[in-house]
Amino acid sequence: MIANITKGRKAVGALVYDFGPGRRDEHINPRIVAGNVTGTPLQVARAIDHTARRRPGITAPIWRTSLSLPDEDGILPDAQWATIATDFIAAMGFGGAPWVAVRHGDDHIHLTVSRVDWTGQLLTDRWDYRRAREAADRLEEEHRLVPARTRFRAEGPQVRNNELEAAKRRGRGPDADRPPEREELRRLVREVRDASRGLGRAAFESGLADAGVLFRANEASTGRMNGYSFTVEGLVDGQGEQIWHAASKIARDLRWAQLKDVIGDDPAAGPDAAATADMVDRATQMLRQGRIERGSAKPGDHPALSTDPAARILAQWQAKAAGQEVPAEPLPAPEPESVPAWTDRRRRPYGALATDSIPAEIKKTARQISTWQGEMETARAAARRWDGLATGAVTGPRVRDLHQLAAKVEVARPHIEAEVAARTDRVAADTAADAARKIWREANGRKELGWLELRKLGTSRKAEEKRAAVSSEAIHAYVEQASRAISRAASAARAAQEASGLPWPEREAERLREQWPQLLDQARRGDQDEGQARRDTEQARARDLARRIEGAQARIERLAQEAELRRMMPADQAQAESRARRAAARTATPAGRRRKAGGPARPPGEQPAHLRRQPPSAGGPGKTR
């Protein structure tokens, strides 16, 4: 799995690309497979950008990566990609931030993450390339995917531009019939190496000469072999000097450390060269693996009979090289194994169990294990579900209820707006009626003044009477208008309640409008807290069941060992143990007859106190003395 990381300013452009046609590969059926933000692609992108804008000083708040797989892994289902994306985000430490995973192809997904979490904290991207590589390695192991380290390990330095141009001048390269010299050397040397496998250096060098490969051995002054350098005819520089390539520069597997193990060395001389070489190899291997029992040889033994494996093989080789007779290894006498007593609970914890009862106990324990395994799988599945809620990958009930409340308020919004408009009309009508009442009172008071005072005020009695009549009519009209507005407001309020099913839809709409970010954050925190608590509970239950299963499996193993021991032990000993077990079972106190510790012992044959009956009276039944 390869993680390709990029960073940017906005998530909208990234999501537009994910759901667009694509620049290199055709995007087929783009879809969201995981994430903790719901909605359409643009809504998800805007939500991620909204969180990122809480830290305006960050130049690249959007962290983005693509997780791609080779063809060998096949096409994974969306559910497995969702698990991989969720685990990858958690491993990177981005689980508390808004993120989304988009799939628009068979072999890869794109993850878009805000480095600003829901609380406004900035998440670090330090060492993110190394952390992404480590997380991808763990996911490859968990999901049994092809490791990227094995797929992208370079076999040797590749042919670069300068060398390729020089090869073109010599008539080689992609456009010619012959590849560059270094690539041809890699092929030829490998073919010769495989053909001379196990035949030694002489065969390998002879094969190189036959293949037309010029070589020279790089040996130190002490005679130590360090490797080869190779070239072919025509591989010269501008001055006509031959260009030699070290084996490590052609391919990593052609270095002497690897090459010598493939071609091998010439066998050593001696009476039996093949056996001698085999013994030396075996002794070297034993020495390398550290399986030497030092100091375990018995005094007076021949070295070839030592209990030290490496010393024994080396002594045999020395004896063969000297032409001496190698003593035969005596067969160890089998030591009789002592059977522990059936009363020894440390070595035979189920020795007191009857032989016929062991298979039944094994079946009973196996059934209990099956039951516990089912409960453990159920607990683990529940823990995974609650983990999705705890990490925010799954929308919780509080967030869903909040969105459902918002949807109900949205349905009632036209009626709420009608109610608000009716109340506004009522307030306007009441204000106009109050103004008309003021005019009426003023005109009605002036009607009682004399004509001289009315003349000073620039009016007359008739004008004031007309003014009072007009004001009175206006008052009645405004009062009627206010009454109709009140009726409309009441009807709109009832319609809003019926449409939303809420007792106070206008109040809820105002609360959601003013406190939506805080309410959404509280709902998410509540869901995540509940998810964490439930997840921890289920994980603890799964661990407890796993411990029980482990103990029950150990019990089955001990029971099987006990059954096998009884099957293999001598018949007389098995009969003696059976008699001893039966005798112990007969002398054991029954559970119903146990008395309290420290209490007086009951005489044999006497009934307990609660079962004793008083003797009948002399007068017979029903009579008393």
Side-chain angles (χ1 to χ4, degrees), residues 66 76 111 175 206 221 247 280 293 303 305 321 332 373 419 435 444 463 547 598 612:
S66 62
L76 304 185
L111 285 81
D175 299 332
S206 176
S221 58
V280 172
E293 304 167 1
L305 301 180
Q373 285 176 342
E419 181 183 0
N444 195 42
R547 287 193 294 268
R612 300 175 195 161

Side-chain angles (χ1 to χ4, degrees), residues 275-287 313-314 317:
T276 301
D278 180 63
M279 289 184 182
V280 172
D281 291 341
R282 288 166 57 194
T284 304
Q285 183 68 16
M286 288 186 178
L287 286 168
I313 292 177
L314 288 175
W317 164 68

Side-chain angles (χ1 to χ4, degrees), residues 187-201:
R187 179 182 62 83
L188 292 175
V189 175
R190 281 178 172 172
E191 290 179 356
V192 173
R193 176 201 63 184
D194 296 338
S196 58
R197 183 180 297 273
L199 302 178
R201 285 182 56 185

Side-chain angles (χ1 to χ4, degrees), residues 251-405:
R252 297 182 186 277
D253 55 351
L254 298 179
R255 294 179 297 182
W256 181 244
Q258 286 79 24
L259 185 62
K260 66 180 181 181
D261 294 334
V262 178
I263 63 176
D265 293 328
D266 297 331
D272 192 350
T276 301
D278 180 63
M279 289 184 182
V280 172
D281 291 341
R282 288 166 57 194
T284 304
Q285 183 68 16
M286 288 186 178
L287 286 168
R288 185 177 301 142
Q289 293 180 358
R291 299 182 307 194
I292 301 176
E293 304 167 1
R294 299 198 177 276
S296 57
K298 297 180 180 179
D301 283 349
H302 191 278
L305 301 180
S306 171
T307 57
D308 184 336
R312 181 175 66 251
I313 292 177
L314 288 175
Q316 292 175 0
W317 164 68
Q318 291 172 355
K320 283 195 174 187
Q324 300 175 359
E325 184 70 23
V326 179
E329 299 182 11
L331 295 176
E335 297 182 1
E337 295 184 0
S338 60
V339 178
W342 66 273
T343 54
D344 186 356
R345 296 187 59 82
R346 184 179 62 84
R347 300 184 63 187
R348 292 181 63 181
Y350 301 104
L353 196 63
T355 304
D356 297 336
S357 302
I358 292 179
E361 286 293 326
I362 292 177
K363 291 181 180 179
K364 178 181 177 182
T365 308
R367 288 195 299 269
Q368 185 64 64
I369 289 176
S370 178
T371 303
W372 285 340
Q373 285 176 342
E375 294 177 0
M376 183 177 65
E377 292 300 327
T378 303
R380 287 177 175 175
R384 287 193 293 269
R385 291 195 300 270
W386 289 115
D387 184 72
L389 184 62
T391 57
V394 178
T395 303
R398 293 174 179 82
V399 175
R400 287 199 300 269
D401 294 342
L402 189 61
H403 283 287
Q404 290 175 2
L405 177 62

Side-chain angles (χ1 to χ4, degrees), residues 448-464:
E448 303 300 329
L449 300 177
W451 67 271
L452 184 59
E453 293 177 346
L454 292 173
R455 186 176 181 180
K456 289 180 179 179
L457 295 173
T459 183
S460 63
R461 186 184 300 276
K462 186 175 181 179
E464 293 300 324

Side-chain angles (χ1 to χ4, degrees), residues 27-38:
H27 293 182
I28 301 174
N29 187 22
R31 57 202 180 273
I32 296 176
V33 296
N36 56 5
V37 184
T38 58

Side-chain angles (χ1 to χ4, degrees), residues 551-569:
Q553 290 174 344
R555 184 171 187 265
I556 288 179
E557 184 177 354
R558 291 291 190 89
L559 287 168
Q561 292 175 358
E562 179 66 26
E564 182 66 17
L565 179 63
R566 295 186 189 184
R567 188 180 68 85
M568 299 297 295
M569 71 172 53

